[in-house]
């Protein structure tokens, strides 16, 4: 199976894979690969284009088809900053997620690109600590390497409540009930196998991160 420093692949069902990020790579947020038969869907695109390139290569090697669709579950960078590695594909999100991406990311990326020297200094400071956090340092180095060429690629297909993609082998349903982890979160459901990709709506042995959302806002926009 395809090897990457950014993630490992876990086979969930035939043609359905979870891409679980490694501790020292540029992925940060997990992703998914779903074979529809005549089409391939990617769920989330990691935190860096280089991790996303590996994800694309893995999907093409595994499935044998070009990538047709990419889903952005929500607007956070570790789920959408790899979009530029799928720029020729159809990228899908909720209406509100696209709006948040368009509002938040351009100034954020510009600011980070303008202060890359400060990031380098910060990495060097971390490296000099008595017990350096090697995972954090590694992840920051991945970000540093990608910043000069990083650009925002927005979804070109948006939906309000539900969107279905039908292939020759199976169908996937993209569903949102509004906010939760952010002000707009979507998940992907594969009905035939009863498999679900939930993005950051699902946490295990950890407290949910809801700084940009609300546990009480699950049915609102």
């Amino acid at each position: 199976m395809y090897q990457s420093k950014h993630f490992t692949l876990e086979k969930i069902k035939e043609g359905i894979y979870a891409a679980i990020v490694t501790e020292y790579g540029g992925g940060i947020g997990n992703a998914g690969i779903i074979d529809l038969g005549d089409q391939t869907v990617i769920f989330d695109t990691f935190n860096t284009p280089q991790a996303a390139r590996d994800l694309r290569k893995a999907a093409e090697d595994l499935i044998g088809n070009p990538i047709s669709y990419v889903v952005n579950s929500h607007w956070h960078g570790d789920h959408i900053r790899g979009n530029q590695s799928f720029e020729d594909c159809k990228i899908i999100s909720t209406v509100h997620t696209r709006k948040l991406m368009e509002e938040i990311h351009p100034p954020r990326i510009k600011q980070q690109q303008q202060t890359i020297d400060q990031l380098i200094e910060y990495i060097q400071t971390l490296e000099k600590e008595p017990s350096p956090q090697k995972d954090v340092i590694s992840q920051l180095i991945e970000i540093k390497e990608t910043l000069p060429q990083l650009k925002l690629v927005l979804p070109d297909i948006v939906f309000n409540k539900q969107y279905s993609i039908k292939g020759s082998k199976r169908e996937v349903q993209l569903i949102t009930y509004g906010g939760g982890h952010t002000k707009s979160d979507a998940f992907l459901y594969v009905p035939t196998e009863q498999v679900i990709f939930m993005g950051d709506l699902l946490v295990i042995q950890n407290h949910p991160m809801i700084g940009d959302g609300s546990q009480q806002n699950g049915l609102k926009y």
Side-chain angles (χ1 to χ4, degrees):
M1 193 172 286
Y2 186 86
Q3 299 293 316
S4 171
K5 70 175 182 178
H6 303 292
F7 60 87
T8 60
L9 287 173
E10 299 289 340
K11 184 176 180 180
I12 309 302
K13 297 280 187 178
E14 188 63 40
I16 303 176
Y17 300 85
I20 308 299
V21 294
T22 59
E23 192 175 5
Y24 299 101
I28 311 299
N30 296 328
I33 301 169
I34 305 97
D35 175 19
L36 302 188
D38 54 344
Q39 303 173 81
T40 302
V41 176
I42 298 292
F43 184 82
D44 284 338
T45 62
F46 292 143
N47 194 53
T48 60
Q50 60 267 35
R53 284 194 297 270
D54 279 9
L55 179 65
R56 180 170 189 157
K57 182 66 165 58
E60 290 172 345
D61 286 355
L62 281 169
I63 310 303
N65 291 324
I67 310 304
S68 300
Y69 294 94
V70 171
V71 179
N72 290 154
S73 64
H74 60 287
W75 69 266
H76 286 166
D78 57 327
H79 296 260
I80 64 96
R81 280 197 173 197
N83 278 8
Q84 71 187 75
S85 295
F86 297 94
E87 195 168 4
D88 58 327
C89 305
K90 297 173 182 177
I91 303 177
I92 308 171
S93 77
T94 69
V95 172
H96 201 51
T97 287
R98 189 190 191 280
K99 181 173 181 289
L100 288 166
M101 288 169 64
E102 192 170 18
E103 291 174 354
I104 295 169
H105 281 287
R108 181 173 293 185
I109 291 172
K110 182 178 179 180
Q111 188 272 336
Q112 290 178 346
Q113 289 173 329
Q114 290 174 340
T115 58
I116 193 168
D117 289 342
Q118 295 177 28
L119 175 59
I120 293 170
E121 291 176 5
Y122 179 57
I123 292 170
Q124 292 171 343
T125 299
L126 292 178
E127 290 173 332
K128 293 175 183 177
E129 290 183 349
S131 300
Q133 294 178 279
K134 294 182 179 180
D135 55 341
V136 174
I137 292 169
S138 220
Q139 292 164 7
L140 290 175
I141 289 172
E142 292 290 337
I143 293 170
K144 171 184 71 71
E145 290 179 355
T146 198
L147 274 178
Q149 291 80 38
L150 182 65
K151 65 177 181 178
L152 175 65
V153 175
L154 291 167
D156 39 32
I157 298 174
V158 293
F159 66 98
N160 281 307
K161 293 182 179 179
Q162 187 167 334
Y163 188 92
S164 296
I165 307 171
K166 295 182 179 180
S168 60
K169 183 184 296 184
R170 58 170 62 95
E171 172 187 359
V172 296
Q173 298 172 358
L174 310 180
I175 302 167
T176 181
Y177 292 128
H181 174 64
T182 68
K183 291 181 179 179
S184 183
D185 299 275
F187 56 90
L188 182 151
Y189 180 54
V190 189
T192 50
E193 280 81 10
Q194 294 188 315
V195 172
I196 189 167
F197 289 86
M198 297 190 68
D200 286 347
L201 287 171
L202 174 67
V203 293
I204 299 172
Q205 295 182 343
N206 206 343
H207 191 279
M209 294 178 62
I210 53 172
D212 293 315
S214 170
Q215 289 176 303
Q216 286 75 43
N217 199 34
L219 298 177
K220 300 177 183 178
Y221 285 92

